[in-house]
Amino acid sequence: MFILCLFLSAPLRISFANPSQNYVEVAVPIISQLVHQDGSGKWQGPLIDLLKRAEQEIGIPFHLRMVPFKRAVLMVGEGDTDFGVFMESSKRNQIGMPIVKLGDAQFIIVSLKDKPIRSINELENKSIARIRGGAEIKTLKGVPGLKYYYFNNHNDGTRLLQYGRVDALVTADFRLLDAVDQNMVTFAELAEPVPLEPRELWLYWSWKSNLDFSLVRRLKSIPNLHLAPLDPAKLRERYLAK
């Protein structure tokens, strides 16, 4: 009876494979271009709207956990969540399955206006900041003499550039927009960003999740599950407007 009471008092997480799970948990990265809090502290944004539509389509409640980007990856790897949202890479494919492409982004080179980098060729023998553990950037492999400085969070990367510790910063375009929205940096102090290569944002299913694959298949079949705001042209439009 004691064991039965403990079981009944535990929070329910029921899936088709496990009759004790009745909701889907999703780790949502806190990026202003995707999610933000309104004046009352409620989370909203294009990614929230998209996940709500997916919730309605499959008919099972979604529990959204707003966490830093790296935490979302870690939660998927440890099985602390059923799904996570992050950039696709071969390394991340080892901790989860990319099941739904949510949007398109682009890696870019960011430099200061008084020391502009206008093309990839100008990176020869230069120093560049990039996130530790990030996806491989094939475009930069052939640049001779390129030196990397690794940072642990994107605010640190922005500071490395602003303080002149590096010649340029490599990041995703929506990350730069996020830094501008948070007043970490302004377009007035930056040269026009140089596009490197495209990158995709995916909904990942954790390999350690107890959810039945039939639910994953239903998610994959939802039409037009795509984030329109993650348009690579948006960055240049905003830069030129400033």
Side-chain angles (χ1 to χ4, degrees):
M1 284 297 293
F2 176 73
I3 295 174
L4 178 62
C5 289
L6 285 178
F7 175 79
L8 292 176
S9 62
L12 294 180
R13 273 175 59 92
I14 301 176
S15 76
F16 300 99
N18 179 0
S20 65
Q21 183 169 352
N22 64 352
Y23 66 87
V24 173
E25 187 166 270
V26 185
V28 180
I30 303 173
I31 300 173
S32 66
Q33 301 303 304
L34 303 177
V35 298
H36 57 273
Q37 287 180 297
D38 60 19
S40 64
K42 182 180 178 182
W43 290 99
Q44 58 183 9
L47 182 53
I48 303 294
D49 296 338
L50 198 74
L51 293 173
K52 285 182 178 179
R53 186 161 69 83
E55 176 186 51
Q56 293 172 352
E57 290 277 353
I58 66 172
I60 293 178
F62 280 20
H63 285 193
L64 307 183
R65 294 178 61 180
M66 310 303 168
V67 294
F69 197 93
K70 279 191 171 183
R71 179 60 185 157
V73 177
L74 187 63
M75 289 172 67
V76 169
E78 294 179 347
D80 289 340
T81 184
D82 299 308
F83 296 95
V85 177
F86 38 84
M87 308 297 283
E88 190 272 339
S89 75
S90 56
K91 183 185 295 185
R92 290 166 185 170
N93 292 349
Q94 297 174 11
I95 64 171
M97 177 189 293
I99 59 163
V100 179
K101 177 185 171 183
L102 299 177
D104 296 293
Q106 186 154 16
F107 275 125
I108 55 172
I109 299 169
V110 186
S111 59
L112 297 177
K113 188 164 286 185
D114 58 352
K115 295 180 180 179
I117 301 292
R118 299 184 179 89
S119 71
I120 299 174
N121 295 332
E122 295 181 12
L123 288 174
E124 184 174 347
N125 297 319
K126 293 290 197 303
S127 58
I128 195 167
R130 60 172 301 183
I131 187 75
R132 192 182 306 277
E136 180 184 36
I137 305 176
K138 298 177 182 178
T139 313
L140 297 178
K141 277 193 167 183
V143 179
L146 186 62
K147 299 177 183 178
Y148 286 109
Y149 284 80
Y150 293 94
F151 54 85
N152 294 318
N153 65 72
H154 290 275
N155 289 348
D156 290 344
T158 303
R159 293 189 188 98
L160 284 171
L161 177 65
Q162 289 175 310
Y163 297 159
R165 298 285 300 277
V166 293
D167 297 301
L169 165 68
V170 170
T171 188
D173 52 2
F174 66 86
R175 283 291 190 184
L176 178 58
L177 288 173
D178 192 47
V180 171
D181 289 343
Q182 294 183 39
N183 298 315
M184 288 291 300
V185 67
T186 66
F187 283 126
E189 58 190 302
L190 300 176
E192 182 173 350
V194 178
L196 278 178
E197 59 188 59
R199 188 64 69 198
E200 297 175 347
L201 189 73
W202 282 74
L203 179 68
Y204 268 80
W205 178 43
S206 171
W207 291 119
K208 296 182 179 179
S209 169
N210 291 322
L211 291 177
D212 190 88
F213 191 66
S214 62
L215 183 142
V216 178
R217 284 200 300 267
R218 285 164 63 186
L219 275 172
K220 287 173 64 70
S221 66
I222 298 175
N224 302 319
L225 200 63
H226 193 269
L227 287 163
L230 281 181
D231 182 351
K234 182 179 179 182
L235 174 63
R236 189 166 193 273
E237 290 172 2
R238 281 190 56 178
Y239 177 85
L240 294 177
K242 293 294 183 180

